[in-house]
């Protein structure tokens, strides 16, 4: 079992690494949190990039080290973008985080979230 102190130390090391390397983690996030997510990435020393179009999402997935996907505010274009970027990330074996905001409230959201299951990346026993 990992201790609180070990978690703190891991967080400190991670923040130091981010400040040193300035990684880009692309984001497809909802309109409510886009500014918060960008500022959080910048605050810890990362690079922020937010997109919503399929072509841009693919380019960002290829360029970045990881991707954050938040389904809070869906637009019709997300039905193409989100499963496409999940497939690209899976094929590239890049980590991505899914924030399944409001799961269960609509058929579009539910269909997309179901499709994401086939793109779970397993790496060293962890599922991203």
């Amino acid at each position: 079992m990992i201790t609180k102190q070990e978690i703190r130390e891991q967080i400190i090391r991670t923040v130091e690494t981010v400040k040193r390397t300035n990684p880009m983690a692309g984001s497809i996030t909802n309109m409510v949190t886009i500014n918060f997510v960008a500022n959080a990435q910048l605050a810890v020393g990362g690079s922020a990039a937010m997109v919503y179009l399929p072509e841009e999402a693919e380019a960002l997935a290829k360029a970045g080290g990881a991707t954050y996907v938040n389904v809070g505010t869906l637009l019709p274009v997300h039905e193409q973008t989100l499963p496409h970027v999940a497939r690209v990330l899976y094929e590239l074996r890049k980590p991505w985080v899914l924030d399944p905001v409001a799961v269960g409230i609509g058929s579009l959201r539910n269909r997309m979230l179901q499709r994401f299951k086939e793109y779970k990346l397993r790496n060293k026993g962890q599922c991203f």
Side-chain angles (χ1 to χ4, degrees):
M1 180 116 186
I2 191 164
T3 67
K4 286 183 181 181
Q5 183 60 33
E6 290 170 325
I7 292 171
R8 285 188 190 105
E9 291 169 3
Q10 188 175 34
I11 291 170
I12 291 168
R13 284 192 307 274
T14 301
V15 169
E16 289 169 351
T17 299
V18 168
K19 286 182 179 184
R20 185 177 62 254
T21 62
N22 188 244
M24 182 178 58
S27 298
I28 303 169
T29 189
N30 74 64
M31 316 253 179
V32 175
T33 65
I34 197 165
N35 196 39
F36 175 77
V37 171
N39 286 330
Q41 288 176 327
L42 295 171
V44 297
S47 293
M50 281 46 177
V51 298
Y52 64 91
L53 297 173
E55 179 182 317
E56 293 176 351
E58 180 174 345
L60 194 58
K62 289 178 178 178
T67 301
Y68 170 66
V69 176
N70 175 306
V71 298
T73 308
L74 291 178
L75 300 171
V77 70
H78 287 120
E79 190 167 16
Q80 294 174 309
T81 303
L82 297 178
H84 177 71
V85 77
R87 181 183 52 78
V88 169
L89 291 162
Y90 178 80
E91 290 171 355
L92 294 171
R93 310 268 319 139
K94 289 192 175 184
W96 61 287
V97 175
L98 173 64
D99 187 351
V101 177
V103 63
I105 68 165
S107 61
L108 170 61
R109 185 179 315 271
N110 291 342
R111 280 193 315 272
M112 281 195 309
L113 292 171
Q114 285 295 328
R115 288 186 64 193
F116 289 151
K117 287 181 180 181
E118 64 190 272
Y119 302 121
K120 287 168 63 173
L121 180 61
R122 297 208 179 272
N123 185 8
K124 298 180 184 174
Q126 297 176 341
C127 181
F128 294 94

